[in-house]
Amino acid sequence: MRQDLSFHNYKRVYVWELPVRFYHWLNVLCVLVLGITGWLIGRPPGLTSLPEAYQQQWFGTIRFVHFVTGYVFLFNFLFRLYWGFVGNRYARWNQFIPSTRRRVNEMVEVIKVDVLQTRIRGIIRIGHNMLAGVIYFVTFWVFLFQAVTGFALYSGMSDSWIGRMCAWVVPVFGGDAVVRQWHHAMLWFYVVFTLVHVYLVAYHDYVEGRGTASSMVGGWKFEREDLLGH
Amino acid sequence: MKDPGRTLWQALQEKGYSRREFLQFCAVTAASLGLKASAIGAVVEAFEKKPRPPVVWLHFQECTCCSESFIRASHPIVADALLDVISLDYMETLMAAAGHQAEKSLADTLKAYDGKYILLVEGSVPTGGDGVYCTIGGRTAIAILEEAAKGAAGVVAWGNCASYGCIQAAHPNPTGATPIDKLLRRTVVNVPGCPPIADVMMAVVSHILVFGRLPDLDGQGRPKEFYGRRVHDTCYRRPYYDAGMFVEAFDDERARKGCCLYRMGCRGPVTYNACSVSRWNGGVSYPIQSGHGCIGCSENGFWDKGPFYQHLSSFPGFGIESTADTVGLALGAGVAVGVAAHAVATNIRKRSLIAENRQESVVAREPSDDKKVQP
């Protein structure tokens, strides 16, 4: 009978340390600001009033905000990479790489549970589940791609050493226009990622009731006592 | 063949130029090379004392607009200096010789000045079909280029064709048109543009003559002094860009006012060239000044980055009109629909699990109002 099995004791687990949560929300802010300003830079709206050019600077300001946020985004990202080496076991770099048979199985299991909506059979880790880990690993590469292409474009208008370090990208792509094209296209990766990410957090919280959504605020998740040994 | 042992100054004197005109030319050259005033002396000295190197100018897949631009350089001496006075031993458009005589002249120059002549190449080289798409005097362009480049002191690629392949190399590139720096295993100075600015071409050659070495090049082989900045950076319409005042149609109020052409597809922000500094035809104007956006003619593959009147290029594989945003929007909408469908499916397929979770919920006891707190 189902009822006999159903009552479980849950334990609190401190999963996301403060630096991880701080990184997450700062990253959210950066992505939002970069996305909105980036969209406006790519497709500036037409304004109806016609003052003289010296009376306003709004487009310049938007670009300035984009560049400053780009720096914040990059250093925040670099900090997260660093934390992947010194943080707790849930923040470790190896959480993002399906290196063992067991991890690959877990990834398949999560796909079954999340997409095909079967029942959970195996054990899904309490930190990033393995599928989420792999997807975040992909996002890290996209973060890097956006940072490098962004600073490569920036190198044309700045003496920033980060820009200079990324300038080699331009000849590889074959010119600023191509770099800009890809930098712009990747905006849609963030849109799609955010949709899926926010939905899946809500989904897991709703279906499992383990505090997935609130964990990024307080750091706590809940795990069945009988599964904690794993 | 004109005697290349003479100096430029000697040759100019014979042409009837005065000392004053010669010094003006030297000052213009020094200025366009970005030299400080005290370095004008070095330019004068170079042109007075250094023997003029022989120049070979090859034409392959091109339209001769580079040559046309070149002979319209703003300073009158330039055309004379580089096309007539400097020993231009082989240039199909301007040389007097023809046929076997011309081919012999080329062969003689390559032999007599081995390791000394400057090779200027206009046009891309087709590599498809063993190079048959461009043959001169019965030889393929690739064979001529390889032979001529072997003994050249320096190689300059004129224009977008020689630098990047230009329109011949645009998709699907039927002749396999190839930029020359991809064919030669040596440094090539790329002077892109369709055509390049005459004064820039003049200055590149002058740089080689004055300093006896190639100018500093950037990552794409372009001289930094002329291709270090974007057209956008020195555009006189730039204040309108920063103010966010954009032309939205070629006949609107803002177009009349001379606002920024960014939204009309201007490629100025992604194009490295000196147009907005030196301008064209002796400093008269440049495309943006004439009310049309830059089409990025000095950038790699600019023909394939259309449409020219659209800020974002079309996205490969999704038709001419679809930009990254069209594709992205469709993708985003698709995902949103998928997520919504998934949410519905969750409530159906996982209803027993959700019910189970609810059963697990413990009824928390409210703090009782009856019990008196004992003091």
Side-chain angles (χ1 to χ4, degrees), chain A residues 68-125:
Chain A
V68 170
T69 315
Y71 275 105
V72 176
F73 173 82
L74 174 66
F75 284 106
N76 191 38
F77 171 57
L78 293 177
F79 167 76
R80 181 63 184 86
L81 293 185
Y82 162 75
W83 200 256
F85 294 92
V86 299
N88 69 12
R89 55 188 289 203
Y90 307 108
R92 288 264 156 184
W93 61 272
N94 60 21
Q95 293 294 304
F96 302 94
I97 300 160
S99 48
T100 62
R101 184 84 218 145
R102 154 136 172 57
R103 288 179 177 208
V104 174
N105 288 342
E106 183 188 328
M107 200 169 76
V108 175
E109 177 74 12
V110 177
I111 293 173
K112 280 189 192 158
V113 171
D114 281 8
V115 181
L116 304 175
Q117 306 206 316
T118 61
R119 269 183 166 270
I120 298 176
R121 285 199 180 76
I123 289 163
I124 292 170
R125 66 192 60 217

Side-chain angles (χ1 to χ4, degrees), chain A residues 169-226:
Chain A
V169 170
V170 176
V172 172
F173 276 79
D176 276 15
V178 191
V179 178
R180 187 179 67 177
Q181 177 86 349
W182 283 108
H183 190 71
H184 184 100
M186 277 298 160
L187 166 68
W188 291 100
F189 173 87
Y190 287 86
V191 173
V192 169
F193 171 80
T194 307
L195 276 171
V196 174
H197 175 72
V198 171
Y199 172 72
L200 281 179
V201 169
Y203 166 82
H204 280 273
D205 203 315
Y206 179 62
V207 170
E208 296 164 3
R210 299 198 297 167
T212 312
S214 67
S215 70
M216 205 34 87
V217 178
W220 300 96
K221 276 192 180 180
F222 303 89
E223 183 60 293
R224 269 163 53 181
E225 208 172 7
D226 56 321

